[in-house]
Amino acid sequence: MNELGRKAAELKQRGDQLGEKALRHPWMVRLARLGYLAKGVVYAVVGVLALQVAFGQGGEMTDTRGALASLAGETWGAVLLTVLAVGLTGYVLWRGVQAWMDPDGKGTSAKGLVIRAGYLVSAGIHASLAVAALRLALGAGGVGKHGDQSAQSWTARLLSEPFGQALVAVVGLVIAGIGAWQIHKAWTEKFRDKLRLQELDARHAAWAMHVCKGGIIARGAVFVMMGGFFLLAALHSNPREARGLDGALAALAEQPFGTLLLALAAAGLVAYAVYMAVVSRYRRFLGA
């Protein structure tokens, strides 16, 4: 083995040891599980609000930040938002551990490094959600721009830069690629390897798999749509064509049989929330 390969192997072994040490800490796994559950709660709110729109019971199209804002006015909203802020912080820490210490063994291949970089991006996104939840809990202000407003603002900023259309197109391809990867993960049931579903009886495990697959596919399909809107914005150099999660759901409602499509997507997001709850309870850590 050459010197470079030897050093890479040493770094990986050191990362494995650090990752195991982190997960041996009594609070790390608990924070990770709470983080998955908090993420699920946010998606459940998004899905339920969209279901209400689909069935004409009020509600609104919103994204994850808007979901937090909708909780602020509820009874015990401040308490729930505080718990969500703590949970999302736990999720951020866990994503950091996954990216830096690689406890899941993604390795240092090109594919492994891309996945681990994705964990860092996820950590950043959920860190901003945690801050927004805490600000709302403390009554320190709203969540700022979110959904379509945020997507269009960022798109306009990128389009104003040199090679702006190309940058927006790359963003669209990345978002659509994430969605396609989620659909692939669900279809091939790769996510099952990380779950201890043998603790459930066969019937409940089968139902859990169906719900989890449906949820992951639904979220992936919405991401593919969002990526497509960014690509349209790049093609036409028009930031108004970019859409966030709320805009993607609204676009479904505008199609023929829109009410049905919106209801299916919203139910899928609720199913994704169930998947997060299943992960929170049954995820394997260190292969256990």
Side-chain angles (χ1 to χ4, degrees):
M1 181 183 294
N2 59 34
E3 184 68 15
L4 184 61
R6 184 180 65 80
K7 288 185 176 180
E10 289 177 355
L11 286 172
K12 183 180 186 305
Q13 182 179 12
R14 190 177 303 172
D16 291 344
Q17 292 171 349
L18 288 171
E20 182 171 352
K21 184 177 180 181
L23 290 178
R24 295 298 183 195
H25 193 282
W27 281 101
M28 189 64 249
V29 170
R30 295 174 191 173
L31 283 172
R33 294 194 188 282
L34 181 59
Y36 283 117
L37 188 60
K39 182 180 178 181
V41 170
V42 174
Y43 272 94
V45 173
V46 174
V48 168
L49 290 175
L51 276 173
Q52 290 177 336
V53 173
F55 291 110
Q57 301 297 317
E60 62 179 327
M61 307 291 192
T62 190
D63 66 347
T64 51
R65 283 178 173 265
L68 294 176
S70 71
L71 294 174
E74 299 295 327
T75 306
W76 300 99
V79 175
L80 178 56
L81 285 166
T82 301
V83 173
L84 286 177
V86 173
L88 290 168
T89 300
Y91 188 77
V92 170
L93 292 174
W94 168 236
R95 282 307 204 196
V97 169
Q98 285 181 298
W100 184 250
M101 301 176 183
D102 194 25
D104 291 331
K106 299 301 182 182
T108 55
S109 66
K111 179 181 177 182
L113 290 175
V114 168
I115 293 174
R116 291 167 69 179
Y119 292 151
L120 283 179
V121 173
S122 177
I125 292 171
H126 289 88
S128 68
L129 276 180
V131 171
L134 185 59
R135 286 179 58 85
L136 285 167
L138 297 175
V143 296
K145 292 181 179 179
H146 57 87
D148 283 357
Q149 285 185 332
S150 178
Q152 291 167 10
S153 175
W154 277 104
T155 302
R157 189 174 304 177
L158 287 175
L159 287 173
S160 68
E161 300 294 330
F163 307 104
Q165 285 181 276
L167 292 173
V168 175
V170 168
V171 171
L173 288 172
V174 169
I175 293 174
I178 292 172
W181 175 76
Q182 290 181 72
I183 294 171
H184 173 73
K185 180 176 75 169
W187 191 259
T188 58
E189 298 186 0
K190 286 188 174 182
F191 64 94
R192 182 167 191 157
D193 296 337
K194 294 181 180 178
L195 300 176
R196 295 178 284 103
L197 293 182
Q198 69 273 15
E199 296 183 11
L200 297 171
D201 63 55
R203 183 168 63 89
H204 289 156
W207 272 107
M209 282 297 296
H210 290 318
V211 173
C212 291
K213 284 180 69 172
I216 299 170
I217 289 173
R219 183 172 181 261
V222 173
F223 269 57
V224 170
M225 286 184 62
M226 289 165 57
F229 285 121
F230 275 95
L231 288 172
L232 286 175
L235 179 64
H236 301 143
S237 192
N238 182 2
R240 293 183 181 179
E241 296 197 49
R243 296 198 181 193
L245 178 56
D246 54 342
L249 294 173
L252 285 174
E254 294 165 0
Q255 304 305 309
F257 305 103
T259 299
L260 176 60
L261 291 173
L262 176 60
L264 288 173
L269 293 178
V270 174
Y272 183 80
V274 174
Y275 165 60
M276 286 290 99
V278 171
V279 173
S280 173
R281 173 63 178 83
Y282 294 105
R283 194 192 196 281
R284 298 178 187 275
F285 291 92
L286 291 176

